[in-house]
DNA sequence: GAAGCCAGAGTTGTATGATAACCATGCAAC
DNA sequence: GTTGCATGGTTATCATACAACTCTGGCTTC
């Protein structure tokens, strides 16, 4: 039997609620950049929690770059654009348009990564890619292991560019895309998909190994077009 | 007389230090996914701070998706791939190689954004780009206003792609690049740089306005090559 | 022997009060 | 006008206590 349980809504921590609440105030413009937040004591009182909880919320917002605080002065909303972290809202991604946009961004990076990888790959890069592809070949299509090594293969391609930020960004984007696909659960499965997908991967690997950027780029492009189709995203590149 | 004083290094909050320390333990593998963290009391003791500070640090790590915690059990390291935020370490960026990598990533996104913008721009996109360019024309080269509108121009180009994530990622990367340039302070300044830079921008805008993706792409490519040269990054595209 | 119950220790979540460090302001003294 | 100082307000940190929860081990009951 397969249980499909929602994650237990173990009441999120109070600090999380407070942080979200303040975050919303900022997002919706009731707190503008430069504005001073109410004092911790005042916030504690209005939310009905201890000052401690408020401080945990503020620590979180500070780490996200949304506010800054100074001892003896207070806490202030930062100049909007200066967040030090990049986040992707999970709920927003459930909308088709948002998902399509993220998929497009991923494609841009993947295609360019494949091209760069073909130019710069080292022996150990090639070996890592082969290994990932081998494991994938032995895994059942759609299984956890399959998805994991699929990501791993793409990660090795990104790594072959020699650009650590390429790896970081691509991994981040790909994971969000994967999560969204899993959540939607509209993956089509059929037996020949495994061999098709594997074939696409193999073509990418061969092009990179051969040091052919244009072919690697084209192979990745085709692979992504195929992937888009498999998750029900037609015409990702109509223009 | 002009004083050149560094901002006093007002020590970052203790909770920040604790969070960084734990973060490093995770990043360097001494704490593996699934591992349980020491108890809050133990952490407080080893760091020599109050439990309160430890909790603020943990609240922060939790919001970043690096750990999760449950009342009565403890705090655990999450399965690496589940971080919900993407961060770029400021110090690491001071190294030339890292900076070059980030600059390259920015270039990839910018070039593709210019191409997409040429295909999809709307009237209001064009207007916004013109406005940014106008303000830039009136600002002194290298001034805060100049830098601000420079970023703003690129943001309008990204916005014209219609892809919100493109805007988000490009803005994020560009700001980190800008911060790093400002920190290094090795900007060369000369009078004709203003007109050169403006000319490059104008060429991009014209190509986008004309709906010519290839020319937009090429113009952006040249602009970035010029920018790389101006910040002392030669041969960004030698391969 | 197995299942269920219960108490206790350990841990996180939250509340509360106190102290130190720091900032802004106004006023007195010079 | 400037300096120095006192004062009130705020954040940063500490310390302690209690509530809520989990786990474990022993006990009871069958």
């Amino acid at each position: 039997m397969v249980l499909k349980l929602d994650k237990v809504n173990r009441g999120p921590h109070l600090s999380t609620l407070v942080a979200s609440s303040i975050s919303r105030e900022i997002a919706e413009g009731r707190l503008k950049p430069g504005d001073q937040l109410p004092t911790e004591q005042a916030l504690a009182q209005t939310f009905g929690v201890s000052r401690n909880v408020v401080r945990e919320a503020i620590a979180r917002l500070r780490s996200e770059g949304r506010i800054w605080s100074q001892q003896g002065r207070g806490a202030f909303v930062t100049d909007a654009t200066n967040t030090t972290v990049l986040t992707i809202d999970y709920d927003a991604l459930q909308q088709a348009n948002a998902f399509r946009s993220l998929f497009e961004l991923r494609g841009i990076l993947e295609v360019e990564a494949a091209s760069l990888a073909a130019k710069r790959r080292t022996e150990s890069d090639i070996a890592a890619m082969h290994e990932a592809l081998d494991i994938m070949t032995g895994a059942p299509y759609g299984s956890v292991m399959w998805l994991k090594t699929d990501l791993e293969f793409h990660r090795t391609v990104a790594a072959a560019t020699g650009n650590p930020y390429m790896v970081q960004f691509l991994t981040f984007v790909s994971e969000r895309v994967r999560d969204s696909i899993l959540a939607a659960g509209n993956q089509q499965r059929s037996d020949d998909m495994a061999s098709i997908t594997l074939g696409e991967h193999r073509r990418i690997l061969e092009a990179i190994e051969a040091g052919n950027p244009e072919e690697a780029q084209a192979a990745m492009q085709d692979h992504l077009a195929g992937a888009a189709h498999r998750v029900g995203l037609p015409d990702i590149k109509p223009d």
Side-chain angles (χ1 to χ4, degrees), chain A residues 161-174:
Chain A
T161 66
N163 186 328
Y165 293 112
M166 179 66 89
V167 180
Q168 193 181 359
F169 276 67
L170 211 31
T171 302
F172 183 70
V173 173
S174 298

Side-chain angles (χ1 to χ4, degrees), chain A:
Chain A
M1 183 179 65
V2 175
L3 289 179
K4 186 171 163 63
L5 298 175
D6 280 347
K7 211 171 286 180
V8 171
N9 192 359
R10 151 170 334 286
H13 302 158
L14 287 183
S15 60
T16 304
L17 295 178
V18 172
S20 306
S21 189
I22 297 177
S23 236
R24 193 162 347 104
E25 294 295 302
I26 295 175
E28 296 177 0
R30 284 186 293 278
L31 279 174
K32 286 180 282 294
D35 281 2
Q36 178 167 10
L37 272 70
T39 69
E40 294 180 351
Q41 213 151 27
L43 286 172
Q45 203 156 8
T46 58
F47 285 114
V49 299
S50 77
R51 209 188 125 209
N52 222 314
V53 170
V54 171
R55 281 194 59 77
E56 282 177 27
I58 287 184
R60 174 173 170 169
L61 294 174
R62 197 171 38 218
S63 89
E64 291 175 0
R66 291 196 157 81
I67 67 174
W68 64 279
S69 63
Q70 191 178 352
Q71 184 173 157
R73 291 231 295 159
F76 304 83
V77 180
T78 52
D79 297 339
T81 67
N82 254 357
T83 65
T84 61
V85 304
L86 192 156
T87 70
I88 290 185
D89 187 55
Y90 184 78
D91 293 330
L93 244 197
Q94 303 312 316
Q95 298 194 329
N97 276 342
F99 179 75
R100 178 191 298 262
S101 291
L102 193 61
F103 201 93
E104 177 179 77
L105 181 62
R106 177 197 167 198
I108 291 169
L109 291 173
E110 292 271 19
V111 168
E112 198 63 31
S115 170
L116 288 176
K119 295 175 191 161
R120 303 179 185 165
R121 79 277 183 270
T122 67
E123 286 305 317
S124 64
D125 289 330
I126 303 278
M129 290 166 66
H130 271 293
E131 186 180 359
L133 199 51
D134 286 347
I135 298 179
M136 203 169 163
T137 306
Y141 181 73
S143 67
V144 174
M145 181 56 83
W146 171 280
L147 293 173
K148 199 170 162 186
T149 29
D150 189 356
L151 272 188
E152 175 64 15
F153 175 79
H154 285 272
R155 213 189 58 75
T156 57
V157 172
T161 66
N163 186 328
Y165 293 112
M166 179 66 89
V167 180
Q168 193 181 359
F169 276 67
L170 211 31
T171 302
F172 183 70
V173 173
S174 298
E175 281 167 359
R176 298 292 88 66
V177 168
R178 177 205 56 190
D179 291 347
S180 190
I181 291 174
L182 287 178
N186 58 359
Q187 277 241 80
Q188 306 175 29
R189 292 193 186 189
S190 78
D191 287 342
D192 50 349
M193 278 193 181
S195 60
I196 292 177
T197 307
L198 279 173
E200 290 172 358
H201 279 182
R202 204 166 291 120
R203 183 179 156 211
I204 296 169
L205 172 48
E206 279 164 10
I208 292 177
E209 192 164 6
N212 186 339
E214 289 79 15
E215 166 63 8
Q217 201 163 338
M220 182 62 86
Q221 194 100 52
D222 289 347
H223 171 51
L224 290 172
H229 188 261
R230 286 190 284 278
V231 299
L233 252 195
D235 305 329
I236 192 76
K237 266 270 182 185
D239 31 33

